[in-house]
Each structure stands twice: as C-alpha cells, then as structure tokens.
Amino acid sequence: MAPSSDTDDSNDAVSSDPLTEETTATKRQRLNSSTGTLISPAPSSSEDSVHATMQLPTLPFEIMVEILSRLPVKFLVQLQSVCKSWKSLISDPKFAKKHLRVSTTRHHLLLIYANPSREFALAAYPLASVFTEVTATATQLEYPLNNRIEQIVDSCHGILCFALDQHFALLWNPSIRKFTQLPSLDNPKRKESYTIYGFGYDHVNDSYKVVAVWCYESDDGSYKTQVKVHALGTNAWRRIQDFPLGVPFEYSGKFVSGTINWLASRDSYSSWVIVSLDLEKESYQEFLQPDYGGVTVVTISLGVLRDCLCILSHSDTFSDVWLMTEYGNKDSWTKLFHVPYMGDVGSCPYTKALYVSEDEKVLLGCQSAGSGLVVYNARDGIFKPLGIQNINGWMVRKIYQESLISPCS
C-alpha cells in the first residue's frame, strides 16, 4: 500500500468548561470497537486521585456521546485534544459511523479549478450558504498530492475518490485530512486505452470499494474491458467479470443503494441503458431509461439526488430531472422537476443536477461563464446564478458529506 497520511490536527485547542472536564467515571467509558457497546477500562490510580477532589457537574456518558455525535467534524477534531478518553471515543470507527448516521445535513460543494498560476485549487462551500447567501463563503482545501490529479470520481460517506491517472487512484477525507493512495492497477500499456472508475460502500461486508473499468481497443477495432475491484484495507486489486455492455459512457460511476451505475450503449443515445454493478455480489444488471412521454431527448446524464438514481434529460428547450424512487424498479421513475433553459444559452446548458434542498431548490451545473453554477427554485421558476469569486474557466464540481470516516483503514 502506498503511504498514507494519518496526522491529527493538534494545533487547534479548546478551552475548558464543565462540559469538557470529566470525572473518572466518564473517562472510563469508551466504545467497544467490535460490538459498539460501552465498556469501562481499568482506571489509573493517578486519574482517581486527581478527579476524586473534583466536584463538577457531569452528564451520563451515553448522553455525552449523543451530544458529540451531533457536532461538526471541525469541532470534534479539536475536542480530541481535551483528554485521552475523548480522543479515544472520537477516533473510534464505531463513533465515526454513529456520527455519519446522525449528522446527515452537513454537505459541502467541492470545486476543483485552476488558479491564476495554473495550479489545481480546491475550495469547499457549505451547501447551506450556497442556497441562502448572495456570495458563498469558501474554505480552501490542501490537496495532499499537489497537482497530481486527473479527475474526481465520486464521494461516499465523506471520502472522495480521485483518479490520478489510468493506473492509480486516491481516497481522501478532507474533513479529517487523511488519505491513502491505492496500489497500481498494472494494466498493460496500450495506445488506445483509458480507465473509468467508480467508488462506493458495500454495506453487507462493511467495505469501501473502488472499481476500475479499463477500456482498450482490441485488434479488430472494437473496445473491450477489464474490470478490477479494490477493497479498502487490502493491498491488491481483484479481477471480476468484464463490463457486460460496450463501454461506460461517463468517466465515473454513480454510487447509490450499494451499487455503482454507468450509462452505456453499443450505438445511439436512444438505446442507452443503465448498467449497475452490485458491490456485494459483484454482479451486473441493466435498467431502462424513463418513459419520456414523447419528448425528443437529445442527451442524458446520470447522477444521484436524495439518495436516488437520477437522470437529467435534455431536449432542445428544457431539461427534466427524473428520480428512480425505488432503486431497481423501472416503474418507479418519477419526474421531479421541469427546468427551462435560461435565455439564449444553446442546447443542453445543464450538465449535472448536483443537489436538491428540502424547499425544492435544485443546484445545477451549467455551460456558462463564471462558476457555471445556478440554483433553480422549482416553486417560483426563478434562477439564481451563484457568485463564486475568482473562478472563471475549467472547473469540476462535486457534493460531499462531512464525516469522520477514515480512508486509511
């Protein structure tokens, strides 16, 4: 396994108050990493003597865990400096999973762009500010491998997957500043070849998996594939069944409901289907597009909204956002929004439907100057271009969830 970063952010300190000072009983509690239950390790005599003199108000440990699990990751990273028992709790994988389940609303918009020096720059915007503020406030992120990046594949539980090139991928959680680089795919060198990745979570085996679809031109001129899977925590790629239908269309698969999904076709747009790889069984199935009701569809793009598979279908004058509300059921395709084009911007200005807020506002990536991002209010039909400063030109957009999940395990 290539080197990984596992450095704690110890520069941030937290002042003491009755909630951060603990008694011996509180300090003894921790999460059992195998069962998820609370156990009490044997205390040291020095801890007993110090805390025996304290008469501070305390909370039951279970309540304290509930409180901590609802805090932003930035604060939790700081709170690890309070004492050893809090550090042990917050760094425990069981607590990280609980925090992920409870803190479901802290999503960020990640932008990757070239700065004036033509270097890669990464900025994160809380989605709450994207939808409510005139000019969203950014946090600059320090990408761990400088300029070595080809594309961003996907995000899952706060972990971002980057394709470095045809042979290497990187997993990085920007919230806790930890990353790991996966081993080389070791595919044969061919002039006409490329690699398409996917990334997601196999909940049955409790395993994060990266899927690499290597596409290459065969001697007869047709394209063939080799598919490999890497499970986080192992040190090698495994070969699985080849891609069942042509080659994937988009450069990254979309993770939803334990599967990774691609658009694929052997010929025209109209015959495109969704090819789904089940991460547990490592087997494929195919889904049809929605019934567009006679609308002439020019192009489509695949995404994920509200934890459902999504299709953004483009006609000459508008786009429709479709959700598969019951994954795997072709009859559950439902049209969520009808989005007209903004003025004279040409065909297919919307490239991605990135996020939908609770009040029916959809964040769209579009073909326009500036940030190329717009919020469409489906209730009143109003567009609001986003004011992202100092970005003009090439840009990649991705939504990720704040989390404590480590890519190094």
Side-chain angles (χ1 to χ4, degrees), residues 9-318:
D9 187 4
S10 59
N11 296 325
D12 297 320
V14 179
S15 59
S16 298
D17 58 44
L19 288 179
T20 58
E21 291 288 338
E22 4 170 58
T23 63
T24 304
T26 303
K27 253 187 158 182
R28 293 174 184 174
Q29 305 294 331
R30 67 181 177 86
L31 287 179
N32 185 304
S33 60
S34 61
T35 64
T37 59
L38 298 172
I39 65 173
S40 179
S44 65
S45 58
S46 61
E47 288 178 336
D48 283 340
S49 62
V50 170
H51 289 280
T53 62
M54 292 184 177
Q55 299 296 324
L56 297 176
T58 62
L59 291 172
F61 185 69
E62 292 80 359
I63 294 179
M64 192 172 296
V65 170
E66 290 298 322
I67 294 173
L68 291 176
S69 66
R70 285 164 170 77
L71 294 180
V73 170
K74 179 180 178 180
F75 294 159
L76 292 172
V77 171
Q78 295 174 347
L79 289 175
Q80 291 186 85
S81 302
V82 171
C83 58
K84 290 182 179 179
S85 60
W86 279 28
K87 179 179 177 64
S88 176
L89 168 65
I90 294 170
S91 60
D92 192 293
K94 292 291 182 181
F95 178 80
K97 291 180 179 179
K98 178 178 179 63
H99 179 269
L100 184 71
R101 292 193 303 271
V102 172
S103 300
T104 58
T105 59
R106 295 190 180 96
H107 290 79
H108 298 262
L109 169 66
L110 175 68
L111 300 184
I112 306 173
Y113 58 97
N115 62 22
S117 301
R118 303 187 65 82
E119 298 174 335
F120 285 113
L122 288 83
Y125 300 79
L127 274 181
S129 68
V130 169
F131 283 103
T132 59
E133 297 179 9
V134 176
T135 301
T137 303
T139 299
Q140 296 298 316
L141 302 179
E142 296 182 4
Y143 179 67
L145 294 186
N146 297 321
N147 278 352
R148 192 183 175 198
I149 179 175
E150 181 172 294
Q151 66 184 39
I152 181 169
V153 177
D154 207 351
S155 66
C156 179
H157 298 173
I159 301 175
L160 296 165
C161 179
F162 291 84
L164 305 182
D165 53 34
Q166 289 199 46
H167 303 283
F168 291 96
L170 173 84
L171 299 179
W172 175 46
N173 185 333
S175 300
I176 58 175
R177 304 178 186 177
K178 295 183 179 181
F179 75 94
T180 186
Q181 183 176 323
L182 303 188
S184 172
L185 280 164
D186 289 330
N187 289 326
K189 292 184 179 180
R190 284 180 177 264
K191 184 177 180 180
E192 298 296 332
S193 66
Y194 56 94
T195 303
I196 293 174
Y197 292 91
F199 172 58
Y201 178 64
D202 172 5
H203 70 278
V204 176
N205 296 302
D206 188 21
S207 176
Y208 293 91
K209 293 181 177 180
V210 179
V211 179
V213 183
W214 182 54
C215 309
Y216 63 95
E217 187 176 12
S218 63
D219 295 337
D220 62 6
S222 64
Y223 270 86
K224 299 185 180 300
T225 64
Q226 288 185 7
V227 184
K228 295 181 180 179
V229 171
H230 184 282
L232 188 60
T234 64
N235 58 7
W237 293 86
R238 290 183 294 103
R239 179 85 180 271
I240 65 170
Q241 179 187 349
D242 293 342
F243 201 75
L245 178 67
V247 296
F249 169 68
E250 298 180 297
Y251 279 100
S252 60
K254 305 300 184 290
F255 171 73
V256 61
S257 298
T259 68
I260 296 177
N261 302 265
W262 297 270
L263 285 173
S265 175
R266 289 192 176 92
D267 40 55
S268 65
Y269 292 144
S270 61
S271 64
W272 282 359
V273 297
I274 298 167
V275 176
S276 170
L277 173 65
D278 187 303
L279 288 177
E280 177 207 353
K281 301 175 182 177
E282 297 181 352
S283 60
Y284 301 92
Q285 57 180 324
E286 298 177 10
F287 302 131
L288 297 177
Q289 300 177 49
D291 180 357
Y292 299 115
V295 173
T296 301
V297 174
V298 180
T299 61
I300 60 175
S301 60
L302 199 63
V304 177
L305 291 177
R306 292 178 175 170
D307 295 324
C308 295
L309 198 62
C310 161
I311 278 183
L312 185 63
S313 62
H314 311 284
S315 71
D316 290 332
T317 58
F318 61 87

